[in-house]
Amino acid sequence: SGTGTFSNDTIPNPLYYASPDDITNGNVRLTLHAYGMFASDSTDTMILYFVSPPEASAGIDGSVCANETFTVTTASASGYQSLLWSSSGDGTFSDPAIIHPGYTPGQQDVANGSATLFLTCYAQPPCQMTTDSLDLTILESPVFWLGNDTTVCTGQFLVLDATTTGVSQYMWYPGLQTTSSITIDSTGIGVGTQEFIAVLTNTLGCTGRDTIRITFINCPGIEEAGITGLDIRPNPNNGNFTISFTTTKEKTIGIQVIDLTGSTVFKLPPQQVMGPYRKDLNLEGLRQGTYFLELTDEHGKITRKLIIQK
């Protein structure tokens, strides 16, 4: 009934070449006529259906940061009975049976720096399945560690350092500081717990983050053992500070100034103190920034922040 042609219409098992119109119509009726030499003629028919083979396009190649999910957006497919995504690596698909899934790289993908994603379309019989693929580049994300959650005495400080190679931007929360490290104390927090978050962005535009919880507690020590009223004036200033405090008994006090890295940048000889104490500190030779004054004795340490502005 169609407009196609037979390879040989006089043999029992010829090939039939469907025409474009046959395929458009979806089927044709083929009729076999058998002419008898000594018996009556016979006729039989069959219907030949045309099934379009599946077409698969995995889409254009892409890239994704190591700690993010890549969403397939340019894939397309037609003529399939079902489809399935698979990977050359160890990542996972949000749903491998949909045309536009998300793919989260695995550890091996990140180590290799790439993965190949395969889209396979399964056909209706008798057609064969079709597969296409895209190459996914895995971009390195900043990896760093702020350390375990910890406890710090009020009046003391802690340096959080997120310095990482290849990072173009640092951002700390709370506070919105943009330095690679920050120094924290109980100022504005008091006794209690505070969460600190560092978000790093590298030159590829990928981000990484880590969180640490710091708990500030009251610790028995130097202030309870006879030093009270520690005062620093003016603060901030250009480097000339006056410190004062009072001891309730004779004590040997260590006085030093340290920077954000914990290095000592100024130190006085041990001071023998009984009662009120006052001392001028000339720190004009130090760069502008944040420092810490430490007073120590056999019972512990008092730390206070100094800010030099020039």
Side-chain angles (χ1 to χ4, degrees):
S1 63
T3 57
T5 59
F6 290 97
S7 58
N8 186 341
D9 60 3
T10 64
I11 60 176
N13 297 305
L15 297 177
Y16 180 76
Y17 301 99
S19 69
D21 287 340
D22 291 344
I23 296 174
T24 299
N25 292 332
N27 65 79
V28 294
R29 182 184 297 273
L30 303 181
T31 302
L32 173 63
H33 299 277
Y35 302 99
M37 295 178 61
F38 306 105
S40 60
D41 297 342
S42 179
T43 300
D44 195 16
T45 62
M46 64 170 289
I47 297 177
L48 177 64
Y49 294 92
F50 302 105
V51 179
S52 298
E55 295 183 1
S57 173
I60 61 176
D61 297 339
S63 62
V64 67
C65 296
N67 56 356
E68 297 179 359
T69 296
F70 173 76
T71 300
V72 179
T73 59
T74 59
S76 61
S78 63
Y80 61 89
Q81 193 170 43
S82 63
L83 62 82
L84 185 68
W85 284 93
S86 59
S87 167
S88 65
D90 61 341
T92 57
F93 290 93
S94 58
D95 184 346
I98 62 175
I99 190 65
H100 294 143
Y103 181 78
T104 302
Q107 293 183 353
Q108 193 61 51
D109 293 339
V110 174
N112 292 337
S114 65
T116 301
L117 308 186
F118 299 95
L119 171 61
T120 300
C121 290
Y122 296 94
Q124 300 181 50
C127 298
Q128 302 297 312
M129 67 182 184
T130 300
T131 299
D132 192 34
S133 65
L134 66 84
D135 292 325
L136 182 64
T137 300
I138 315 297
L139 304 178
E140 184 177 357
S141 296
V143 178
F144 64 102
W145 186 50
L146 295 177
N148 292 320
D149 296 345
T150 189
T151 300
V152 178
C153 295
T154 56
Q156 296 185 5
F157 72 94
L158 179 68
V159 176
L160 299 180
D161 191 353
T163 303
T164 305
T165 302
V167 170
S168 59
Q169 179 180 334
Y170 295 86
M171 183 62 70
W172 292 87
Y173 302 91
L176 302 181
Q177 297 99 320
T178 58
T179 53
S180 61
S181 63
I182 62 172
T183 301
I184 61 172
D185 56 30
S186 58
T187 302
I189 301 172
V191 176
T193 300
Q194 176 67 58
E195 186 175 81
F196 295 90
I197 303 171
V199 179
L200 279 56
T201 304
N202 63 16
T203 54
L204 300 173
C206 296
T207 61
R209 67 168 52 208
D210 194 29
T211 301
I212 186 171
R213 291 169 61 85
I214 309 298
T215 300
F216 294 97
I217 62 172
N218 285 322
C219 301
I222 185 169
E223 291 181 284
E224 289 77 10
I227 293 182
T228 60
L230 175 59
D231 187 44
I232 307 169
R233 295 175 183 272
N235 187 20
N237 73 67
N238 64 356
N240 288 294
F241 299 89
T242 299
I243 65 170
S244 61
F245 56 87
T246 300
T247 66
T248 58
K249 60 182 179 179
E250 186 172 359
K251 302 177 72 67
T252 300
I253 306 296
I255 300 175
Q256 65 178 1
V257 176
I258 62 176
D259 63 16
L260 293 177
T261 68
S263 301
T264 300
V265 295
F266 177 88
K267 187 173 184 179
L268 290 175
Q271 305 287 297
Q272 293 297 128
V273 182
M274 175 60 190
Y277 177 86
R278 180 186 177 93
K279 184 72 173 180
D280 294 330
L281 304 182
N282 185 345
L283 306 178
E284 289 183 342
L286 299 180
R287 295 179 179 178
Q288 175 174 298
T290 300
Y291 298 86
F292 294 89
L293 173 72
E294 285 190 350
L295 271 60
T296 58
D297 72 356
E298 69 274 18
H299 295 289
K301 175 172 61 177
I302 299 176
T303 304
R304 295 290 186 271
K305 186 183 295 184
L306 301 176
I307 300 177
I308 297 177
Q309 294 180 341
K310 297 183 178 180

